[in-house]
Amino acid sequence: MTSDLLAPLDLAFWNIESERHPMHLGALGVFSAHSPTAGAHAADLLAARAAAVPGLRMRIRDVWQPLAFGAAAREAVPDFDPLQHVRLHAPTDDFQAVAGRLMERPLERGRPPWEAHVLPGEDGMSFAVLFKFHHALADGLRALTLAAAILDPMELPERRPRPAEPARGLLPDVRKLPGLVRGALSDVGRALDIGTSVALSTLGTTLAPNPTTAFTSEGTGTRRTAGVVLDLDDVHRVRKAFGGTVNDVLIAIVAGALRRWLDERGDGSEGVTPRALIPVSKRRPRTAQPPGNRLSGYLVRLPVHDPDPVRRLAAVRTAMNRNKDAGPDRGAGAVALLADHVPPLGHRLGGPLVSQAARLWFDILVTSVPLPSLGLKLGGNPVTAVFPYAPLAPGQSLAVAVSTYRGAVHFGLVADGEAVPDLDVLATAFSTEAETLLGVCDP
């Protein structure tokens, strides 16, 4: 039985989890069904294929050995039963409502931390699959790789094979100790540099709290989800009219939607500039195969207070350019990189404290999840929409994830169910804000 240690950030995700704040990613794929029995057939296919995917057999166990005291490692389960992870549910006419309830439930930590829930549509013309992967098992890229392995095979362009990376053992090679010592000293210097940058940047953001509690929650453990679909061509039209990137436009749409939502629910948007954490992957897509999160991030004040949609987009573009110029190793968003410099026992003991600090660091997560441009299928049934879901940090009421797939932008919204009972209102505001930006584009 082989095992490898969790990367520092994976270990952090594993230790900050609680019953009310499970740290799993989610993605709801909606399929066009070829027959009323397509959902049941899809569940059988997923279970059969999962048995042959090594990454889906991995569970996480504690490690209490010298030089890895307090760590955790992935190890293959010899008696892996995919039927414990793939579940067929009763037909429904509301995929999002069921997904919200399923996102509430933490994954079982004693077995491989992932699940696939098949939701047949009552109309017999569609079904959905909710995938859940613990963030310690997979980040967005890795989760996509694992999910794709149990969907229908895709015809991918040929790539030159990469040399296999050796598994990380529990103990280091003694011949490498001098180099490890030098590397550790270098890491200390880099950690101090990152820490100083984080501290200086955070001072300028946390000392100016927002005059609204809409983005905070004591954590009820309940979840609601919602999905929004926009035309990617419309987003490009806005980008060409006002400059910036597609990501800038999408973040500006988030800001405008939040403004509409706050005003409609009576909280008011005057003076509100929530801090959005925009995660930045430090790994390229081709390095998604080795497990291990490697994330930094940008911290952006969303111009929710500004009534002008064009000024909101300009403000987002300026803030994102400033972050890009500084780089993902600088600024308050780089705090995730500090996980690399914390010993395993520190993650284990400090996990609960770190999890409670999220609300002091940012107000809302806005993350993007990559998807292939090729069409996804399961049992020959094509995917028509994919809504990604991000974990909800302690103390926060809302997280936004976004993907582009086959000419459309898909927003996946996750909220504390009691703090945000009107998530559908916010979802509608996304579409309205996109239409507003289109309306002010030059003809």
Side-chain angles (χ1 to χ4, degrees):
M1 182 182 299
T2 60
S3 64
D4 65 314
L5 291 177
L6 295 188
L9 192 53
D10 296 337
L11 184 61
F13 286 133
W14 189 245
N15 284 309
I16 67 176
E17 180 174 64
S18 68
E19 187 72 18
R20 290 189 172 186
H21 291 93
M23 294 303 298
H24 52 251
L25 309 169
L28 182 70
V30 180
F31 295 77
S32 176
H34 289 161
S35 72
T37 61
H41 179 56
D44 292 338
L45 281 177
L46 292 174
R49 293 172 179 175
V53 180
L56 297 177
R57 304 175 65 94
M58 305 300 286
R59 66 184 172 195
I60 296 175
R61 65 175 179 86
D62 294 334
V63 174
W64 300 103
Q65 297 186 16
L67 301 183
F69 193 76
R74 298 180 185 86
E75 66 176 7
V77 176
D79 55 349
F80 173 64
D81 181 5
L83 294 178
Q84 294 181 333
H85 301 263
V86 179
R87 299 168 189 174
L88 177 64
H89 293 257
T92 178
D93 61 354
D94 191 338
F95 296 140
Q96 291 289 348
V98 178
R101 293 193 293 269
L102 293 173
M103 286 296 289
E104 293 178 5
R105 306 175 187 175
L107 295 164
E108 292 193 27
R109 292 168 71 92
R111 63 191 189 193
W114 70 274
E115 293 174 351
H117 297 269
V118 181
L119 315 176
E122 283 190 348
D123 59 4
M125 303 300 293
S126 63
F127 68 91
V129 179
L130 174 67
F131 289 101
K132 293 168 57 178
F133 293 96
H134 199 286
H135 218 324
L137 178 70
D139 61 4
L141 287 172
R142 176 66 173 166
L144 172 62
T145 302
L146 292 173
I150 51 179
L151 296 176
D152 291 356
M154 293 184 293
E155 295 183 3
L156 299 175
E158 291 188 8
R159 291 178 177 173
R160 295 193 307 183
R162 298 171 56 252
E165 296 191 8
R168 286 173 292 177
L170 299 181
L171 298 175
D173 188 335
V174 294
R175 294 169 297 181
K176 298 180 180 179
L177 285 178
L180 291 174
V181 171
R182 289 193 298 270
L185 292 175
S186 176
D187 284 350
V188 170
R190 185 165 179 267
L192 289 173
D193 182 55
I194 294 173
T196 300
S197 175
V198 168
L200 291 175
S201 298
T202 304
L203 282 175
T205 58
T206 59
L207 294 182
N210 279 297
T212 179
T213 59
F215 303 105
T216 62
S217 168
E218 293 306 316
T220 65
T222 60
R223 293 291 181 271
R224 291 178 186 268
T225 64
V228 182
V229 181
L230 304 179
D231 192 315
L232 184 57
D233 286 342
D234 290 342
V235 175
H236 278 296
R237 181 181 166 193
V238 174
R239 176 189 61 80
K240 292 176 182 177
F242 301 112
T245 66
V246 166
N247 202 38
D248 294 340
V249 176
L250 297 179
I251 295 172
I253 289 174
V254 173
L258 291 175
R259 176 183 174 82
R260 295 174 184 277
W261 172 62
L262 289 174
D263 287 342
E264 184 162 344
R265 74 191 328 232
D267 288 350
S269 57
E270 183 178 354
V272 177
T273 56
R275 301 157 300 174
L277 177 64
I278 317 292
V280 177
S281 176
K282 296 284 287 181
R283 293 193 290 129
R284 296 180 179 178
R286 290 193 179 190
T287 66
Q289 183 60 29
N293 281 280
R294 182 62 179 163
L295 295 172
S296 181
Y298 298 144
L299 203 63
V300 174
R301 282 279 189 180
L302 297 181
V304 171
H305 67 294
D306 196 322
D308 187 290
V310 177
R311 287 203 305 263
R312 286 197 295 268
L313 176 54
V316 167
R317 185 173 68 245
T318 299
M320 289 297 290
N321 287 341
R322 186 183 304 115
N323 275 288
K324 292 171 187 175
D325 289 342
D329 292 348
R330 313 290 298 181
V335 70
L337 296 177
L338 293 175
D340 291 345
H341 308 281
V342 176
L345 190 59
H347 283 295
R348 187 174 294 274
L349 297 178
L353 180 62
V354 170
S355 69
Q356 295 303 318
R359 72 169 69 186
L360 301 177
W361 178 27
F362 63 97
D363 301 303
I364 182 172
L365 178 72
V366 182
T367 185
S368 61
V369 180
L371 289 177
S373 58
L374 300 175
L376 299 171
K377 295 182 179 180
L378 178 56
N381 302 285
V383 173
T384 59
V386 182
F387 301 102
Y389 303 131
L392 199 58
Q396 296 172 341
S397 64
L398 180 67
V400 179
V402 59
S403 288
T404 56
Y405 176 70
R406 296 183 69 81
V409 177
H410 296 84
F411 285 97
L413 313 181
V414 176
D416 183 288
E418 293 188 18
V420 188
D422 55 345
L423 189 62
D424 57 331
V425 175
L426 176 59
T428 300
F430 273 76
S431 298
T432 304
E433 179 64 16
E435 292 170 1
T436 299
L437 277 170
L438 275 173
V440 296
C441 286
D442 292 333

